[in-house]
Amino acid sequence: MAVKTLLNKKRLWLPAIFILFGWALYQWAWPFWLNQLTEREAERIRVITPTFVAEPTLNRLNPDRLLADLSWLAAAERQGRAPGTPGGIAARLWIAEQFAEIGLTAAGTDGYLHPYSVAEHFSWRRWLRGASSTIPGVDNAANVIGLLPGTEANLKPLVITAHYDHLGMHGDDIYFGADDNASGVAAMLELARYLTAHPLRHPVLFIALDSEEKGLQGAVALFRTGLLQPADLAFNINIDMLSRDTHQLLYAVGTYHHPWLLPLVEQLQTRSAVKLLPAHDRPWYLAGNTADWTLSSDHGVFHQQQVPFMYFGVADHPDYHSPRDTADKVDLAFYHQVVETVLHFLLILDQQLAVQIE
Ligand SMILES: [Zn+2]
């Protein structure tokens, strides 16, 4: 009996010691290591952030059309645009219609559409995190792809991506996904309208991606199906969540991986009415608790395929991935200037990349 009690106690003590040790390690690491990394990252961001002088607002794009397109995508009828659902399919066909009206060339495998399906599959990363070990499959998903030719024949295309899917319905709740990411798709349409009238030197591929919310599967499908070859692409600009921020900040993510982009962000800041922060792209062992967004949206897939990228987006807000992410929360003056900023980045990048090739 006495031996048995001792064994039981041992079973309790081992995990207790383990937990205590882990807690002590964290207590030690936070002030001396983790916190220093976080502070160093904050200081690094402060130093490299271009000085913000409020610029007069730009007016090349139409804010009313931006809001109208966003509102159409985020309407209750679209039921949160989950891949393969009636609302998701309606959104996809509508985007293809807009591409046709704008005059983009169909560049999918079925007109503008690039249909794909993904079977449910095992994920080591998910398994290690202890949640469900499989990534859900999708039936009847499709990306929407339009091409705008450039003025110079020898240049590879810039790829603008924005995912149009969102979380759909959960019970009676509609996850409208106004900021995430009706805002990016509406921005893409307005950029396409402007660039059709004012073509760049590079061709531009406009890609509205499906099933981003299910593990970036739409972007993965572009390469898995062989539709895109990484070596044939010049650059990826991903836009995901552009329309609201309490602090009126826009993150420019990617300068850590591609330091040559930093002078471009500085140049961009001199013509932008929103404050830009080049951040959220360094791994945890360099940045501490400052989140790394390198793989957190579709640009991550382009990055893994060695295509240089820049991601523009706002910080997560309390309505992120909730039924409260609705069109009436959009800050139109901010959103408009964010899209103008993305447009200006495209103009700068177009010149810069063409010069690098010359
Ligand atoms: Zn998103």
Side-chain angles (χ1 to χ4, degrees), residues 21 32-33 83 107 117 162 191 225 247 290:
F21 181 72
F32 293 113
W33 185 52
S117 289
L191 290 169
T225 60
H247 305 290
T290 312

Side-chain angles (χ1 to χ4, degrees), residues 163 180-181 212-213 240-241 297:
H163 75 89
D180 187 10
N181 181 33
E212 188 268 354
E213 306 282 13
D240 188 357
M241 298 173 60
S297 177

Side-chain angles (χ1 to χ4, degrees), residues 292-324:
D292 182 3
W293 294 347
T294 301
L295 301 177
S296 65
S297 177
D298 295 306
H299 57 273
V301 176
F302 284 82
H303 178 61
Q304 286 169 329
Q305 297 284 343
Q306 324 279 319
V307 179
F309 78 92
M310 178 72 105
Y311 160 57
F312 290 103
V314 298
D316 290 351
H317 42 73
D319 299 333
Y320 169 74
H321 282 198
S322 90
R324 299 181 308 274

Side-chain angles (χ1 to χ4, degrees), residues 173-185:
D173 289 332
I174 302 173
Y175 285 63
F176 298 92
D179 187 41
D180 187 10
N181 181 33
S183 70
V185 177

Side-chain angles (χ1 to χ4, degrees), residues 53-102:
V53 183
E55 274 300 303
T57 54
L58 297 169
N59 248 317
R60 290 170 293 204
L61 306 172
N62 182 334
D64 299 333
R65 220 159 36 190
L66 276 173
L67 187 61
D69 288 349
L70 179 151
S71 302
W72 193 93
L73 287 161
E77 292 88 335
R78 254 46 76 197
Q79 298 187 319
R81 309 183 302 281
T85 63
I89 292 169
R92 156 198 320 174
L93 296 176
W94 179 81
I95 295 165
E97 245 170 62
Q98 304 305 307
F99 279 6
E101 229 166 76
I102 291 166

